[in-house]
Amino acid sequence: MAEITDFDALRRAMAENSEQPEGPARNARAEQLLAEAEKLDIPLAVIEALGHQLKVYNYSSEKDKMFVPFARLLRMWDERPEDFDDYETHSLHWVFKWMSVGMLDQPHIPLASIEKWLGEMEHRYRLAGHSERAVRSAEFSVAAHIGDLARAERAYAAWLAADRDRMADCHACELHGQGTWQVRRGRDADALALWEPVLAGEYSCAHEPHTVLASSLTPLLRLGRVEEARANHLRGFRLVRPMESMRGAYADHVEFCALTGNEARGLELLAERPAYFTDTGHPRSRLDFMAVVTLLMDRLTGLGLGERRVPGPAGRTWTARELAAHARAEAMELAERFDRRNGTSYVGDRVRARMAQRPLVERLALGVRTVRPGPAPVAAPPAPQVPAEPDLAALLAEARRLSDTLRPHALEAWAAVAQAARDADLEPRDRAEIADHEAMGLGPDGVELFERAAALYAEAGDPGEALAARARGAYVRALGGAVDAAEAMVASLYDEVLALYADEATGVRQTASVVMSRARILMRRVHEDTAGPAARAALTEAEQAVREVLALVDGRAGDEVRLAARAAEARAMLAELAAHAGDAGRAAELFRRAAAEYVAAGLPWFAVEYEVQVAALAHSAGDLAGSERALRAALEHGGPYVEPIGRAQLHLQLAEVVGGRGEAVEAAEHALEAAHWADEAGEGGTLGAWARQQLGGFLLRQGRYAEAAEVLESALADLSAETHGDGAVVQARWWLGDCLGELGEHRAAAEHRLRAADVARHWPEQQDHATLAHLAAESLSNAGLTDEAEQAYARAGELWRALGNPQFLVRSLRARGWLALRGESGAESARQLMTDAVRACEQALESAPDPVARDQLTGELGNTHRQFGDLLARSAAEEAEDDVIRAAFEAALVQMDRAAALFGMLGADGLHGRTGAELAAGWLETDLGRPAEAAARARAVLAAYEGTGDDDETAQARRAEATQMLQATQADT
C-alpha cells in the first residue's frame, strides 16, 4: 500500500478504494485515507476524503455512519465555502438527498428532525439556485414512508412537475421511485410501463437496473407475466449478488423464490449472505429481509418441512420453524420502532401483509438447478381414493373398469381392493384378479403370484384366463433373463389355449393374451441373438408370432380396448423387427401406425414410446421435420401421464431439433422444461445438467447474456467429463466466456476460456483449441492483463500457423502489435509485429488456392495495412520531436494508401473499407498541413456514395465524416 505523501497520491488511493468491493474493508480504508488527508493540511483534501468516506458508507451495510462525515462537511461549508471547488460544492448539495431519505431508514431519528432537515434542504437548494424537484422527491419519500398518502400524492405530482436540473436523481433512479409508488397504489401495470426504459437498458446507474429488476418481480407474477419475472430474477440477482448495500433488493429475490415454489433456491440465497441476518447499519433493509425470511420459513413449515435445517444467524443451528419465529419477532420489533417514530401503523401493516402472502405460482422453472425441498407432485392424475369405510363391491367395479380399459392407476385400484378385502370372504375369481394384478406390479418377482392367480382362475372355471396368467408369468421370467425357460413354458401354454379357443372353451381376449406373451418372449430372443443363423431364425420366428397376434385380433376389437391395444402393440413389434433388419423406413411407418392405433383406441399415453422411436428414426434419416413432428406428438399424447424423466428427455430432444433450425426462443423454452423435469425426477446433476447447458446456449443466441451466464454457471456445477463428456464441459465454458465478455466481466471470461482451452489442447483436432486461446487472449487484453494477453495471442498464433489458417494468424499478430504499443516493449516492437502480420498475409495471398480465398486474404491485408497506419499514427503521439512525428504520419499515410488500394480491388465488397482508409488518410493529410489533398480525398468519398440510400448506416457515417473534413479544410484555407 503506497504511502500518502501528497494530494495526488491521496486522490489515486481514493480512486483505487472506490473500485474495491462494497463492505467493511473498503469503509475502513476510507477512514484511514481521511486520517492521511488531515496530515496534508490541505482543506480540499479533507473535503474530498470526507466525501469519499460518505460515499462508501452509503454504498454499504454501514449506512448509519454517513451522517457524521456529512455533518462535518456541512460545517466546513458554512465556515469556509471557498475551500470547496465546483465539484465538491455540487457533491455536498447532491448528498443532501442521501441524508434526507437516509434518516427515514433509521428509526431512532425523530420524525420532527427529518421534517426539519427537509426544510433545511429546501432552503439551501433555493439559495444555490436549484430546482425543487429533488426536494419534492425527498418530501414524497417521507410521506410515503409514514403512510400519509394524500401528502405523498401531492408531493409526487410536484416532483414530476418541477424542472429536472443537476440535482435531480438520474432517470433510472427516478423511474424506480415512481414505479414503486404505482405498485404501492395497486397499479402494477403502470409501474412496469414506467420501468420499461430501465429494464430495456435505456437508463442505468450504479444501482440500476438492479433495483428495478428486483422490484418488478412480484408485480410481474401478479400480472401472470411469469416468463418476464423469471428472466428478471436471473438477470437481477446476478447484479445484486456482489453488492453488500443491496439487502432490500436481495430480499425481493428471496421473496420471489418463496412465491414461485422455489423454496430451495431461496434457502441457497440466504446461505450466500449470512451477514444480512445481523447487519444493523440499515434497519429498513433489515426489516425487509427479515419479513421475507419469515415468508419463506412459513412456506417451508406449511409444506411439512418445519424441522428442516436452514441457514440463519450465525452461532447456532436453525430449523425452518425456529427461524420463522425468530425472523417474525425481529421484523415486528423493527416495524414497531418505525411506527412508534412515525406515529402510524403503516409500516407494521405492510410488513404483516408481506409476511402473509401466498404463493403466486405453484412451481416456476428457473433453469438453474435447485432441489425441491418437499416431495414432487404426482405427474399423472391422482389415483382412486379409498373411502374411509370402503365399499368392496364399488372398489371391485372401479378396479375392473380401469384395468379393462387400460387406464392409468389400475394397479393402485386393485391394491385398494386387496387392502379392503383383507378379511373378506371372496369368490375365487375376485381373489384371482387381486393376485394377478399384484403380480403385475411386482415385475420379475411376481412369478409365483401369477401361478397363484392361475390356480384361482382355474378354480373359478376360467381355464383360458388361467393360461393367460401363467403366460404372463412366463414373460416376466424372460424379463428376468430366463428366456429359454420362458420360451419352453409358453410353448405348451400356446398349444393349450389354441385348443381351448378351437373348442370355443375360451375367448379371443384370453387367447390373445397368451399369443401376445409368446410373441413378447420371442422378441426377447431376437434382442439376445445379435448375429448369425440363430439371429435370423429368431427374427423369423418372432415375426411369425407377431403376425399371429394380428391375425387373431386385427379388425375384431370393436369397443374392446384390450384387443385394440394388442393390435397396436403387435404393429409396434413388427416395427422393431423391421428396424432390427435394417429397414428404417418400414420401421418408422409401422411405429406411426401403432401410435395412431393407440390414439384411436383412447390410449394416447401408450403412443409416446412409439412416437419417440419415429423421432429417432427420422433424425437418423436426416428428416428433422419428421423428428420434430413425432416429438411434439409424443408430448401431446403423453400429457400428464409421462413420468418426469420422460418429459425431461422429450423436451430436451425437441429443444435440440428446434434449436437446430434456428428457433432459439422456442428451443430455450423446451430446454427450460427439460431442466425442470430432470430436477423433479432427481436427475438434476445428470440429464438436468445437459438441459441447462443447452438452455444457456439458446439464451446466449438470443442475447440474454446475464440469464445465460446464471444458467451456465449452474450447469457447470454438475457437468463432468466422466458423465457428460469433455466436449459438453468445454462448450459450456466457451458459451459462459462469451456471456461474461458481453457483460464486461473480462477477467472471469478469460478464466473460463483458458480452462476450456486447456481441455481442448488434448484433442486430436486443434481448431477449437486455437479459437479458445485466441478468445482468451481477447478477454485478457480487455481485462488489462497485457502480459498474459500477449502470451495467449502468441500461443494462438502458433496454433493458427500449424493449422494453416493465415487470417487468424495475421489477426493474432496485429493484436500483439497493439499490446506491444500499450506495454513495455513499445513502438518498435509494435511496428515489427505489424510488419510480420503484413508479410504473413502477403505470403498467404501468393499461394491462395481459389478466388474466394484470394478475396478474403486481400480484405485481411487491407485491414492489416489500415491498422498498421493507425498504429504508426498513434505511436507518433508519444514522440516529442516534430520531425519524428511528421515521419510517422508520412509512414502511416503510406499504409492507408495501400489499404485503400487493396480494398479497391474488391469492388463493391470493399467500398466501406476503402472509404474508411481514404478518410483516415485525409485526416493525416490535414495533420501534415496539406488541406487540398485532404479535401480531394473527402470529395472522393462523397462521390463513392452518390446514389446510396439512407438505410446504409456506414454510408451515412462516411458521408458525414467527409463533409466534416471538407469544412475543416476550408477553414484551414
Side-chain angles (χ1 to χ4, degrees):
M1 191 176 295
E3 183 181 358
I4 307 299
T5 57
D6 54 41
F7 200 175
D8 288 339
L10 176 69
R11 283 173 165 164
R12 286 194 299 271
M14 289 190 295
E16 290 171 3
N17 195 45
S18 294
E19 297 301 316
Q20 298 304 306
E22 295 177 353
R26 187 170 76 157
N27 294 353
R29 177 60 175 156
E31 292 162 5
Q32 293 173 358
L33 292 174
L34 175 58
E36 296 292 335
E38 289 169 337
K39 297 176 184 177
L40 297 177
D41 197 26
I42 301 173
L44 184 58
V46 175
I47 291 167
E48 291 188 13
L50 283 166
H52 173 66
Q53 188 182 76
L54 194 156
K55 181 177 180 180
V56 299
Y57 283 155
N58 185 60
Y59 293 115
S60 78
S61 62
E62 298 180 309
K63 291 178 184 287
D64 55 335
K65 291 185 175 182
M66 66 182 179
F67 301 104
V68 172
F70 180 73
R72 185 176 172 188
L73 274 172
L74 193 59
R75 185 172 64 253
M76 293 175 72
W77 167 262
D78 288 339
E79 292 173 356
R80 289 180 57 83
E82 63 272 18
D83 289 340
F84 288 69
D85 62 15
D86 289 344
Y87 179 82
E88 292 303 327
T89 299
H90 175 270
S91 296
L92 177 70
H93 286 81
W94 180 268
V95 296
F96 260 93
K97 300 179 296 183
W98 295 359
M99 297 303 110
S100 301
V101 178
M103 288 179 181
L104 284 175
D105 301 334
Q106 307 291 332
H108 68 278
I109 299 179
L111 188 60
S113 297
I114 297 172
E115 293 284 6
K116 180 181 178 182
W117 188 256
L118 188 61
E120 180 75 10
M121 176 183 175
E122 183 173 11
H123 171 70
R124 288 178 181 268
Y125 271 43
R126 188 180 300 114
L127 287 177
H130 297 310
S131 163
E132 68 171 13
R133 188 178 183 94
V135 177
R136 299 285 77 83
S137 173
E139 181 189 5
F140 161 77
S141 296
V142 173
H145 171 67
I146 65 176
D148 187 344
L149 303 185
R151 181 187 180 193
E153 288 285 15
R154 292 193 301 272
Y156 183 86
W159 167 21
L160 269 61
D163 293 335
R164 281 188 58 84
D165 67 351
R166 295 175 64 212
M167 283 298 120
D169 282 340
C170 75
H171 282 290
C173 288
E174 283 206 331
L175 289 173
H176 177 245
Q178 293 161 19
T180 301
W181 179 241
Q182 299 305 317
V183 171
R184 186 90 61 91
R185 303 299 282 158
R187 299 187 284 260
D188 289 340
D190 292 344
L192 290 162
L194 280 167
W195 288 334
E196 180 55 34
V198 184
L199 294 172
E202 185 176 342
Y203 301 124
S204 63
C205 68
H207 276 188
E208 295 297 352
H210 314 42
T211 56
V212 164
L213 285 163
S215 297
S216 73
L217 297 174
T218 302
L220 285 168
L221 292 174
R222 284 196 292 258
L223 292 171
R225 294 160 60 175
V226 295
E227 292 80 8
E228 294 172 69
R230 172 177 48 238
N232 287 3
H233 169 63
L234 294 177
R235 284 177 60 199
F237 183 68
R238 186 172 191 84
L239 292 173
V240 304
R241 177 189 276 138
M243 301 182 72
E244 183 200 48
S245 64
M246 303 202 71
R247 180 164 54 182
Y250 201 98
D252 290 339
H253 287 279
V254 177
E255 178 182 48
F256 168 83
C257 294
L259 298 177
T260 58
N262 285 287
E263 298 84 6
R265 179 165 172 82
L267 293 177
E268 292 172 5
L269 268 56
L270 296 186
E272 286 192 33
R273 281 292 187 182
Y276 277 173
F277 287 98
T278 53
D279 285 344
T280 59
H282 192 238
R284 182 141 65 150
S285 69
R286 185 159 183 257
L287 170 59
D288 291 335
F289 186 74
M290 286 302 184
V292 299
V293 169
T294 305
L295 172 68
L296 179 60
M297 295 305 119
D298 282 350
R299 174 67 180 150
L300 288 169
T301 303
L303 291 170
L305 300 169
E307 303 312 310
R308 174 173 176 157
R309 287 273 298 275
V310 295
R316 56 161 288 186
T317 59
W318 296 89
T319 66
R321 194 184 314 278
E322 292 167 341
L323 185 57
H326 170 79
R328 179 176 285 103
E330 291 278 319
M332 294 315 303
E333 189 274 333
L334 281 166
E336 195 277 331
R337 287 170 57 197
F338 278 107
D339 283 342
R340 187 167 61 248
R341 187 270 304 274
N342 298 339
T344 68
S345 65
Y346 190 66
V347 172
D349 292 343
R350 296 189 67 242
V351 167
R352 280 184 286 271
R354 189 173 198 181
M355 294 190 297
Q357 292 178 98
R358 305 301 302 161
L360 297 170
V361 181
E362 180 184 344
R363 175 83 159 144
L364 177 61
L366 300 180
V368 292
R369 187 183 179 196
T370 53
V371 180
R372 177 180 279 276
V378 177
Q385 297 296 310
V386 181
E389 296 182 5
D391 180 338
L392 185 54
L395 289 175
L396 269 168
E398 177 64 6
R400 284 176 177 143
R401 183 189 70 81
L402 292 174
S403 58
D404 286 346
T405 55
L406 300 178
R407 300 292 107 178
H409 295 305
L411 292 181
E412 288 92 328
W414 280 107
V417 170
Q419 181 180 353
R422 190 171 299 160
D423 299 322
D425 184 16
L426 295 177
E427 294 295 324
R429 175 74 190 198
D430 299 334
R431 288 186 284 126
E433 289 182 87
I434 292 172
D436 200 2
H437 287 90
E438 185 179 352
M440 292 178 195
L442 293 175
D445 295 330
V447 173
E448 292 184 5
L449 262 178
F450 277 124
E451 290 295 334
R452 169 70 176 154
L456 289 167
Y457 280 127
E459 184 181 343
D462 191 343
E465 201 62 63
L467 292 173
R470 293 185 65 202
R472 286 189 282 274
Y475 177 56
V476 298
R477 283 180 185 273
L479 290 177
V483 178
D484 290 340
E487 191 175 342
M489 182 178 177
V490 82
S492 63
L493 299 173
Y494 169 74
D495 291 338
E496 289 181 54
V497 81
L498 288 183
L500 284 174
Y501 183 63
D503 292 340
E504 298 184 351
T506 193
V508 174
R509 175 172 159 176
Q510 291 81 2
T511 306
S513 182
V514 176
V515 176
M516 178 56 81
S517 292
R518 176 172 176 266
R520 289 171 176 170
I521 291 168
L522 291 172
M523 289 293 292
R524 299 292 297 179
R525 173 71 70 201
V526 168
H527 293 300
E528 280 193 350
D529 297 327
T530 56
R536 288 192 294 273
L539 199 66
T540 300
E541 190 174 3
E543 182 174 351
Q544 182 180 350
V546 173
R547 292 194 181 281
E548 286 185 31
V549 175
L550 282 172
L552 182 64
V553 302
D554 218 5
R556 302 176 64 178
D559 294 332
E560 175 63 66
V561 173
R562 282 182 175 273
L563 293 182
R566 298 288 187 217
E569 184 180 354
R571 204 86 60 194
M573 286 178 171
L574 289 178
E576 283 187 58
L577 293 170
H580 200 79
D583 190 347
R586 173 71 173 157
E589 178 188 348
L590 288 166
F591 276 130
R592 277 192 290 269
R593 285 189 61 187
E597 288 174 10
Y598 272 124
V599 173
L603 305 169
W605 49 89
F606 284 115
V608 172
E609 65 175 297
Y610 304 126
E611 296 285 7
V612 171
Q613 294 281 4
V614 172
L617 289 166
H619 196 279
S620 297
D623 179 11
L624 297 184
S627 179
E628 182 179 337
R629 283 194 301 272
L631 289 168
R632 290 188 188 280
L635 277 172
E636 176 189 351
H637 294 151
Y641 300 102
V642 179
E643 292 295 319
I645 191 65
R647 288 199 197 190
Q649 291 166 337
L650 286 172
H651 279 293
L652 184 55
Q653 291 178 59
L654 196 50
E656 292 172 352
V657 172
V658 172
R661 61 177 173 82
E663 296 293 334
V665 174
E666 186 185 354
E669 293 170 359
H670 286 294
L672 176 66
E673 287 293 312
H676 167 73
W677 288 111
D679 288 346
E680 294 291 288
E683 294 292 335
T686 51
L687 185 63
W690 270 115
R692 270 178 273 280
Q693 190 242 28
Q694 291 293 302
L695 173 59
F698 293 132
L699 291 171
L700 169 63
R701 282 164 58 178
Q702 296 175 59
R704 296 162 64 178
Y705 305 117
E707 297 167 66
E710 282 290 300
V711 170
L712 289 166
E713 286 171 349
S714 178
L716 280 167
D718 293 312
L719 284 172
S720 68
E722 295 75 21
T723 302
H724 305 92
D726 54 11
V729 179
V730 166
Q731 184 64 79
R733 292 199 183 280
W734 192 327
W735 283 335
L736 181 54
D738 292 348
C739 293
L740 296 172
E742 294 289 345
L743 294 170
E745 299 176 36
H746 299 299
R747 187 183 291 263
E751 177 187 349
H752 286 287
R753 286 169 166 173
L754 287 169
R755 291 181 67 177
D758 191 53
V759 175
R761 70 188 177 92
H762 300 291
W763 294 353
E765 170 55 54
Q766 289 289 284
Q767 177 73 26
D768 287 341
H769 181 201
T771 304
L772 284 163
H774 199 112
L775 290 171
E778 288 182 4
S779 295
L780 290 165
S781 177
N782 289 332
L785 301 172
T786 305
D787 293 341
E788 293 87 344
E790 155 63 27
Q791 294 172 15
Y793 272 125
R795 177 60 180 146
E798 294 171 4
L799 291 165
W800 292 129
R801 193 185 302 276
L803 287 167
N805 189 324
Q807 285 179 278
F808 278 91
L809 168 62
V810 168
R811 292 175 190 181
S812 67
L813 287 167
R814 291 199 309 248
R816 291 175 64 195
W818 286 109
L819 286 172
L821 188 63
R822 286 162 45 191
E824 295 181 0
S825 49
E828 184 58 37
S829 177
R831 287 191 288 270
Q832 183 58 54
L833 284 161
M834 282 293 184
T835 300
D836 292 344
V838 168
R839 185 180 301 113
C841 202
E842 288 174 341
Q843 291 172 350
L845 186 57
E846 291 173 2
S847 58
D850 54 61
V852 173
R854 281 195 292 276
D855 284 351
Q856 290 175 343
L857 287 165
T858 298
E860 201 67 57
L861 184 57
N863 280 321
T864 305
H865 280 297
R866 167 67 195 271
Q867 289 197 36
F868 200 172
D870 288 338
L871 183 142
L872 290 168
R874 188 82 54 85
S875 65
E878 301 176 3
E879 303 295 339
E881 298 179 13
D882 290 345
D883 290 345
V884 175
I885 294 173
R886 187 174 186 84
F889 282 178
E890 293 285 5
L893 187 59
V894 171
Q895 297 294 331
M896 295 302 180
D897 283 335
R898 289 175 182 172
L902 286 160
F903 286 127
M905 295 169 62
L906 299 176
D909 290 339
L911 174 61
H912 293 330
R914 177 171 67 82
T915 55
E918 287 285 5
L919 289 170
W923 292 118
L924 286 168
E925 301 273 26
T926 301
D927 290 336
L928 289 166
R930 300 198 284 259
E933 289 84 345
R937 292 181 186 271
R939 293 190 189 96
V941 170
L942 290 172
Y945 286 115
E946 284 183 5
T948 304
D950 293 337
D951 56 340
D952 189 329
E953 293 183 3
T954 302
Q956 289 186 54
R958 294 282 194 270
R959 283 197 291 255
E961 187 178 351
T963 301
Q964 180 186 3
M965 185 178 293
L966 276 176
Q967 292 170 347
T969 57
Q970 290 167 2
D972 289 342
T973 57

